[in-house]
Amino acid sequence: MIMLPKEIVPVEFELEKDSSTPPPFHFKFDLPHAFRDFLGTREVGEFVSGALAGAMTKAVLAPLETIRTRMVVGIGSKNIAGSFVQVVEQQGWQGLWAGNMINMIRIVPTQAIEFGTFECVKRAMTSVQDKWKQEECPQLQIGCINFTLSLSWISPVALAGAAAGVASTLACHPLEVLKDRLTISPEAYPTLGIAITNMYKDGGIRAFYAGILPTLVGMLPYSTCYYFMYDTIKRSYCQTRNKKSLNRPEMLLLGALAGFSASTISFPLEVARKRLMVGALQGKCPPNMAAALAEVIRDEGLKGLYRGWGASCLKVMPSSGITWMFYEAWKDILLVHKGHSL
């Protein structure tokens, strides 16, 4: 209890009764409402759509991923059927899903970041190009020579695809390394916890980013081609058929074609990347990507650059098609039904 002098009380009473005094400012923040608004944004819908599409695809295609990884790095049989039989004989049927837990953990953030980045960069680049078309393009003067800076020659889809690949790789590369270790050496790395502990003891944080440079080099052409091919084929197909959108089987087919094209172009870099990432397990890790490519050519000839290509396409084509089909379906649910345009 605070005792105030009597002479202060009337003044205090008068201030309360003074209607000219502005009411006090009250700050009210409705957290649940703001959170709901955030979840309803286009960007969040695209991130969630990518995550769900990736998780659903990997759950179905995990056995093909296991066989493809073994063939790319040269472990066991050199054909798909033989590799399949070896895995089942040595590890049982569950061996086909070796490393699938880390694969699922990896694919959710990877696909979320990849698709979300792709959509954001594509919209931003398209907006900048449209703005520069309406206004006069900036000019650069060097001495007496004037250069007009134009962005019309840059494909927003190709640039967005490259940005998506780089962003997802930088964020999720450690999970890719863990997945490969669990797949290739289940005896040395029987569980995710043991794999993380042993890798950190052997090489510290750098062990989780083994092969990051060749991964980025290999990812750029694949990611750029992957998104560019899908968008180009989709637009051409819709224009030819006079359609505004694709049905689910068409998305599945066009997504598979995009994955096939991107995988074929970038596969030699994928072989070199896998060699670098798991080479330490065999005690003969090449020092760089060029050395890895030279080693493959010296040991197996040029055809060695495409060893496992069939298994890769067998995995990449359905994976790409199913991913695009699920992604477009989830976008319809999370974006179109909420009034966002695609």
Side-chain angles (χ1 to χ4, degrees), residues 150-191:
S150 175
L151 297 178
S152 59
W153 59 275
I154 300 177
S155 168
V157 176
L159 182 63
V166 171
S168 63
T169 299
L170 291 176
C172 303
H173 183 75
L175 297 175
E176 175 72 14
V177 175
L178 283 169
K179 188 264 299 181
D180 285 338
R181 296 293 178 94
L182 290 169
T183 302
I184 301 303
S185 298
E187 301 85 5
Y189 305 100
T191 66

Side-chain angles (χ1 to χ4, degrees), residues 23-340:
F25 175 75
H26 295 286
F27 177 74
K28 185 178 181 182
F29 182 69
D30 189 355
L31 183 59
H33 181 72
F35 187 67
R36 286 196 300 269
D37 289 344
F38 172 74
L39 293 180
T41 60
R42 171 190 290 273
E43 289 75 14
V44 172
E46 291 164 349
F47 271 72
V48 173
S49 297
L52 292 173
M56 296 170 72
T57 302
K58 289 301 178 183
V60 176
L61 301 176
L64 291 177
E65 172 70 11
T66 299
I67 294 174
R68 182 185 75 96
T69 302
R70 289 173 61 90
M71 294 188 67
V72 167
V73 300
I75 292 180
S77 177
K78 296 183 179 181
N79 59 72
I80 298 172
S83 182
F84 179 86
V85 172
Q86 281 185 349
V87 173
V88 174
E89 289 179 347
Q90 295 172 3
Q91 305 175 34
W93 288 100
Q94 66 270 21
L96 294 172
W97 277 267
N100 190 50
M101 179 186 297
I102 185 63
N103 209 12
M104 293 293 291
I105 296 173
R106 174 187 68 88
I107 202 62
V108 169
T110 298
Q111 291 294 83
I113 294 171
E114 192 168 314
F115 276 108
T117 302
F118 169 74
E119 299 285 5
C120 291
V121 174
K122 184 177 73 171
R123 277 196 304 273
M125 190 64 190
T126 302
S127 176
V128 171
Q129 284 187 335
D130 292 341
K131 183 178 180 180
W132 281 28
K133 286 179 182 179
Q134 298 173 0
E135 303 175 359
E136 185 177 353
C137 295
Q139 294 186 349
L140 176 65
Q141 183 173 358
I142 302 178
C144 59
I145 302 176
N146 291 327
F147 295 95
T148 300
L149 303 179
S150 175
L151 297 178
S152 59
W153 59 275
I154 300 177
S155 168
V157 176
L159 182 63
V166 171
S168 63
T169 299
L170 291 176
C172 303
H173 183 75
L175 297 175
E176 175 72 14
V177 175
L178 283 169
K179 188 264 299 181
D180 285 338
R181 296 293 178 94
L182 290 169
T183 302
I184 301 303
S185 298
E187 301 85 5
Y189 305 100
T191 66
L192 176 60
I194 293 176
I196 293 174
T197 302
N198 291 347
M199 286 178 60
Y200 185 78
K201 287 180 179 179
D202 294 340
I205 297 298
R206 294 182 61 182
F208 294 93
Y209 282 90
I212 183 64
L213 183 58
T215 298
L216 289 173
V217 173
M219 175 57 69
L220 274 174
Y222 176 84
S223 184
T224 303
C225 180
Y226 178 65
Y227 287 97
F228 180 78
M229 289 299 296
Y230 179 79
D231 187 80
T232 302
I233 296 174
K234 178 182 176 181
R235 285 190 290 106
S236 299
Y237 184 84
C238 289
Q239 291 175 359
T240 302
R241 300 278 181 167
N242 293 322
K243 301 177 67 174
K244 293 184 179 181
S245 61
L246 302 175
N247 57 39
R248 302 304 176 217
E250 290 170 339
M251 292 176 187
L252 182 67
L253 177 61
L254 297 187
L257 289 175
F260 172 80
S261 302
S263 180
T264 302
I265 292 172
S266 62
F267 193 77
L269 296 177
E270 173 73 2
V271 172
R273 182 179 73 87
K274 291 290 184 181
R275 286 291 182 97
L276 288 172
M277 288 179 66
V278 302
L281 297 176
Q282 302 173 349
K284 52 178 183 178
C285 183
N288 51 57
M289 176 171 279
L293 290 171
E295 179 182 292
V296 173
I297 295 173
R298 183 180 65 251
D299 295 343
E300 306 177 41
L302 290 175
K303 65 179 182 180
L305 297 176
Y306 280 89
R307 182 184 180 184
W309 174 77
S312 180
C313 289
L314 187 62
K315 175 260 179 183
V316 168
M317 290 182 67
S319 175
S320 176
I322 294 172
T323 299
W324 275 111
M325 182 180 68
F326 280 137
Y327 177 66
E328 299 282 10
W330 279 111
K331 279 209 307 182
D332 288 343
I333 296 172
L334 299 177
L335 297 179
V336 175
H337 290 177
K338 293 183 178 180
H340 295 290

